[in-house]
Amino acid sequence: QVQLVESGGGLVQAGGSLRLSCAASGSIFRFNAMAWYRQPPGKQRESVAVITSGGITNYADSVKGRFTISRDNSQNTVYLQMTSLKPEDTAVYYCKASGDWGIQYWGQGTQVTVSS
């Protein structure tokens, strides 16, 4: 069974940076896409960044120019580099893997808190 483990969250001042990591139990090459989602307090989960198996990326408008998603297939890890962080970025961040036949796998999440 696929397991995804997020790490790298924490408390940071507005304007600061964090890099989140999502480590998979096996090769991520077989997945059609990897993505980062987040759920702010009291709000719905939302997609923030996606990277396909071909390396194509997409970002939510709220994070464009500030966040970068990347993938290291040799380490079975997906990253989210977060810069110019804002208090509005405060959320639990989740990693998602999309496989064949609509199968999805989720990590447990990592907390990111941005103070003003």
Side-chain angles (χ1 to χ4, degrees):
Q1 187 174 17
V2 174
Q3 183 174 351
L4 304 174
V5 180
E6 301 96 334
S7 62
L11 175 64
V12 65
Q13 294 281 99
S17 300
L18 285 173
R19 189 181 74 161
L20 306 183
S21 298
C22 172
S25 58
S27 176
I28 62 173
F29 181 77
R30 67 188 184 277
F31 295 115
N32 294 319
M34 302 291 296
W36 286 96
Y37 283 70
R38 68 185 181 187
Q39 186 166 15
K43 297 183 181 296
Q44 293 183 260
R45 183 183 63 188
E46 62 182 358
S47 176
V48 297
V50 179
I51 185 166
T52 71
S53 60
I56 305 299
T57 59
N58 282 288
Y59 300 92
D61 289 340
S62 59
V63 307
K64 285 181 179 176
R66 300 188 299 119
F67 291 9
T68 302
I69 187 171
S70 61
R71 181 181 62 215
D72 186 340
N73 291 334
S74 68
Q75 296 295 316
N76 299 323
T77 302
V78 175
Y79 303 96
L80 185 68
Q81 180 65 51
M82 311 164 66
T83 63
S84 301
L85 283 163
K86 306 174 180 179
E88 308 94 271
D89 296 318
T90 295
V92 177
Y93 284 72
Y94 298 92
C95 181
K96 185 186 80 171
S98 299
D100 292 337
W101 303 342
I103 298 174
Q104 298 180 137
Y105 305 93
W106 292 88
Q108 293 296 307
T110 185
Q111 177 71 49
V112 172
T113 302
V114 184
S115 62
S116 59

